[in-house]
Structure formats: C-alpha cells, structure tokens
Amino acid sequence: MSRTSTLTKLLLTSVAITGLVASSAAAHDETVYRLFIGDHVDGIIRAVDLNDGTEMDAFQIDQTPALTRSISGRTIYAVQGDAGKVAIIDTGIAFEDHGDHQDIKITDAQLLSTVIEGTRPAHVVEGSGTIAIFDDGTGDVVLFSESDVINGSFDPLNLSPGAAHHGLAAPMGDFLVVSVPHEDPDQPRFGLRVIDMDGAEVGDVVECPGVHGQAQSARVFAFGCHDGVVLATPGTGATQPTLEHIPTADLGDGNVSTLKGGTAMQFFLGNFGPAAVVIIEPGSEEPFRKVDLPTRRVDFALDPVLAQNAYILTEDGQLRLLNILSGEITQSLQVTEPYSMDGHWRDPRPRLAVAGDHIAITDPLQGLIHLVSTETFEVEQSIAVEGVPYTIVAVGGSGVTH
Ligand code: ZN
Ligand code: ZN
C-alpha cells in the first residue's frame, strides 16, 4: 500500500499547478487516475495508480473478468460469466458536485463484500442512475443503484422479462429496454422492447435481429442489430422511450455489435465488420459514416475530454487517432507488436482505456501497460505489471479537497 507516497505525489502535483484554483489556503486541487486491469490467466484485478505508475493492490476473484466501470467511476463490475458471479470494486475515487467545482475524495480501492451471483451474468448497462446486469443463463435482470452498493445496503430489484439468451437491459427513467429472444433459441435474438419496473410489457417489439451491444450518448441509447441499429429516445415526463430502427443496408457487409457513446457530443462509434468502424449520428440526414481501417480492429475507445477523438488499435499494433468530426484517421503510432485477429476471440490481445490525457493500452504478451499522451500522441511510459494484463478500465479526474 502506498497511500502516503501517493498523497505526497498528489500534493506535489497540485503545487506544480498552483494558480489554477484561487481558494482558501486549506483547499487543494487534486488529480488522480487509476487503472484496473483484469488478468488473462488468473482471477486477479490489479490496480495501478497513474500518479506514480505503481501497482497499488491486486484483488483475487474467481476468474478472468470482463470489466465495466460505472458512469461516476466510483465502482467497477468484474463479470465472471462461467463462475456465475459479478465482483464489485470500490475504486476509492469519489466526486461530489459543489456547483462551481467538484470535490474529490480519495481512499484505497477495495474489493467489496457484496457479490452478485447468478447463472451466467454478462452485460452490465447503466442508465438513469440504475445499473442493470443481465443474466444470460436465466434471462433475468438485476437492478440496483451504485449508492446502495457503496453504502452496503444492496437490495436489488429482480425482473424476469423473458427466456434465457445472451441479452441486455438498458434502464431509461422508469422503464427498461430489454432484448427479446427468438421463440426458437437456435435463431438469432429477435429484437427489443420496453418494459416498466414491474416487468410489464409496454408497446410492441421492435425488430433488431441478433441484437448485441449498446451505448448511451446524451440520454439516447443505441443498440446493434444484424441489419442496422435501434435508437431508444427517452419519453418526456412519465412516457416511455421510443424505439426506432435505422438500417445499415447501404454500408455493405458488416454489422454493429459493439458501441461506444460520446459524452460531450451526441454520437456513437460502432464496429462494422472486422476492419471498419462506423460513426453514428442520431437525427442526422446521413446517420452513418463508415471508416475503413488499414487492418483489422483489435479494440477502440472514445476520449471523454477531447470529444472529437476516438482511438482504435489495429492488429498491426498501431494506434489510430480517428477524428470524429472529419471521419479521417489523422495519426498512427506503433505501440505494440502485431496481435493477429486470427485465432480464438479470447486470445490475449490489447485493450484500451482513456485516463485523462493518456490512452492506456494493455500489452498482454509483454506484461506492459503503455501510456500514450493524447496531446503528443507518443508513448510516454510503459508500466510493467505482473501476469498477463488484458481487460482494462480507467477512472479518475480532478477535484478540490477542502
Ligand atoms: Zn467543494
Ligand atoms: Zn455480449
């Protein structure tokens, strides 16, 4: 544990940028980012503090996790489908809105005693202050608020909207958008529908064959289908969200099955076949702009601060900077050795996360995390971590302590 040295470093950092915050002598401006990295082999999540680049802690769980962070960054959900469990980490970074500034409270990261158990939990989706975890093994949905997890008063709402399938549920106000399986379980998932918090169906099923992947941007959810995307727009007041299917027929072969949502601008970035991405702009005359990549895609991420930036790692080991506004790849940087997309989908390959002004990239075969500056687009540092670093999420930001 390196709390003291981390804090010392944080204080030095805030001294270095003194003048940004004009406030009482007792107030400090602090910036902290932490990475949480799932190991590819062992059930371990390692926490790395970016202020000093050292491993703060390692949390033992049951198996290699898929990691999802909450919107606030206060908690991380480590989904272990085969083990039927979702472990929860308190990241130790909490923000509180104070109107003209936000306060930051920094504590140790910890593995919480609350474990969500199910048959085969998979997608974790947050919306309207509610986190929904879909259990593929049962078709059930577990709903809860992050504050209940943090306060130790975890008492989830359980809904059973339909049969078991690889599904998802997206909370939108007093409603949920849920995937609808085909009557024949061997057929692709059929579509999406709205239910209320009692589990009652509201409105008709909208077709979205093979529905997979979702993201939220400016209160709108997008979902991937084999033949397009479905956009879910919240209703006004107590009315339900409306679902609209937009076909991607004009884009050629491929479909959207993974999505990221813009934060400061309303757009989505989706995969499209193995070697392209598609920029999706709801309400636009031309809602889709397909961007072909030089080689196949390994992973991609959006920059929540530099809203026009998306980062795409391709299998030749190059990080591509995609300008969302122009739809052009403006920079490329060799970061890792090639990681071929041939072979098993679960083979160890890099994953990306954006932490402030750095892109963090796992390099599983080298046991490294590369940090690329979003300002210079150069590798600034490569941090050695034990094991085989694989899945990654970043949390953090800046705030005032006073
Ligand atoms: Zn304050
Ligand atoms: Zn999935």
Side-chain angles (χ1 to χ4, degrees), residues 17 29-33 93 95 102-104 396-400:
I17 51 176
D29 186 36
E30 292 196 359
T31 300
V32 60
Y33 284 92
I93 301 176
F95 297 101
Q102 65 177 357
D103 279 16
I104 187 169
S398 57
V400 179

Side-chain angles (χ1 to χ4, degrees), residues 231-245:
L231 298 177
T233 307
T236 50
T239 58
Q240 73 226 49
T242 51
L243 305 181
E244 181 193 7
H245 180 277

Side-chain angles (χ1 to χ4, degrees), residues 96-98 100-104 400-402:
E96 189 177 293
D97 182 39
H98 278 193
D100 65 337
H101 67 275
Q102 65 177 357
D103 279 16
I104 187 169
V400 179
T401 59
H402 56 146

Side-chain angles (χ1 to χ4, degrees), residues 223-293:
F223 304 89
C225 323
H226 284 169
D227 61 354
V229 297
V230 165
L231 298 177
T233 307
T236 50
T239 58
Q240 73 226 49
T242 51
L243 305 181
E244 181 193 7
H245 180 277
I246 309 175
T248 45
D250 295 347
L251 299 181
D253 281 349
N255 70 279
V256 175
S257 61
T258 298
L259 288 151
K260 315 277 179 189
T263 40
M265 301 190 293
Q266 188 180 53
F267 73 93
F268 298 93
L269 188 66
N271 63 335
F272 199 83
V277 291
V278 62
I279 302 164
I280 305 164
E281 290 169 272
S284 163
E285 294 264 299
E286 298 280 342
F288 300 112
R289 278 182 294 152
K290 185 179 156 196
V291 180
D292 290 310
L293 304 170

Side-chain angles (χ1 to χ4, degrees), residues 28-50:
H28 297 283
D29 186 36
E30 292 196 359
T31 300
V32 60
Y33 284 92
R34 289 174 176 172
L35 303 176
F36 292 83
I37 300 136
D39 192 88
H40 188 269
V41 178
D42 297 317
I44 292 180
I45 301 165
R46 297 175 203 284
V48 170
D49 195 313
L50 281 189

